[in-house]
Amino acid sequence: MKLVTPLGEIDILIDGREIEYDFQLVDVDSSCEDVEGRYAIQVPFVPDGREHIISCKIRDYIPSEMDNIESGENLELKSFYNGGAKLSIGMEGDSGYINGERISTIYDYDNEYQDNGVDYVILVGTKTKIFTFGVAWINNCTEYNEVQTWFGADPTIMKL
C-alpha cells in the first residue's frame, strides 16, 4: 500500500527501483495543528560499502515555480505546491561541501533534492541503517499556516 497525498502517490526507491514500504501516521501537535496529513516513512537499509540512493518521490508530480527548499538545523526539506495545497518532505541531515570537502560531522550520509522529491545519498562509509522521511501537507495553504508543513515533516521532532 502506498501513501496517497493531494499531490500524488508517494514512491520509495532504492537506486531507482521502487520498493514496498510502510508508513506511520504521526499525531499532529501544536506546531502543525492545521496539517491534514502527517506521516513518517522509515526505510531500513543495510549499507554494503557502496554508494546508493534512497528516494522519496511524488509520482507524476509536475514541478511548480513555488516549490522550494526549506532546510533547517539537522533538517533537509523540500516543499511542493499544487493549487492551494502544500506538501513537504523532510529528511534528517545536514549535508554540505566547502571546496569539495564534506562538512557534516554528525551524519555519515548526504541529502539531495529532486524536482519531485528528495534523496538520502548513502556513502561508502555510511553505517546508518534506518532512513526516515517525514511527509506533511495542508490542502488550503495560506501565508499564516504554510510553515506548519515544515514542522509537520521534520523527522527530528516526530514522536514515533
Side-chain angles (χ1 to χ4, degrees):
M1 187 153 96
K2 291 183 185 258
L3 178 58
V4 177
T5 77
L7 275 65
E9 290 183 347
I10 298 294
D11 291 330
I12 302 296
L13 304 99
I14 297 178
D15 296 331
R17 287 186 302 270
E18 201 173 319
I19 65 165
E20 290 189 22
Y21 65 92
D22 293 320
F23 53 89
Q24 176 182 351
L25 180 64
V26 179
D27 289 336
V28 172
D29 59 33
S30 61
S31 69
C32 58
E33 58 193 11
D34 293 336
V35 165
E36 296 167 66
R38 185 181 193 201
Y39 292 87
I41 300 170
Q42 293 186 306
V43 180
F45 183 82
V46 179
D48 59 6
R50 293 182 293 189
E51 292 187 5
H52 297 278
I53 304 288
I54 301 174
S55 305
C56 179
K57 295 186 176 187
I58 307 166
R59 179 177 286 192
D60 300 326
Y61 179 72
I62 298 170
S64 161
E65 290 182 10
M66 294 177 61
D67 296 351
N68 61 345
I69 294 168
E70 301 180 56
S71 59
E73 189 171 337
N74 298 326
L75 172 65
E76 300 291 341
L77 182 140
K78 186 166 181 182
S79 291
F80 305 89
Y81 294 82
N82 185 4
K86 177 184 180 187
L87 179 142
S88 297
I89 304 174
M91 306 173 284
E92 185 170 355
D94 190 19
S95 8
Y97 288 80
I98 296 178
N99 298 325
E101 189 166 323
R102 197 163 177 278
I103 59 172
S104 179
T105 58
I106 299 173
Y107 300 101
D108 60 359
Y109 53 82
D110 283 340
N111 309 89
E112 290 182 347
Y113 300 102
Q114 304 300 327
D115 286 343
N116 63 340
V118 297
D119 300 330
Y120 279 106
V121 179
I122 310 307
L123 305 171
V124 170
T126 298
K127 303 285 186 236
T128 302
K129 294 181 180 173
I130 301 287
F131 298 88
T132 303
F133 296 101
V135 179
W137 66 83
I138 293 176
N139 286 313
N140 295 305
C141 178
T142 69
E143 66 179 290
Y144 302 106
N145 68 10
E146 65 92 21
V147 71
Q148 292 184 32
T149 63
W150 186 82
F151 288 108
D154 183 349
T156 68
I157 60 174
M158 289 181 165
K159 295 178 182 160
L160 303 177

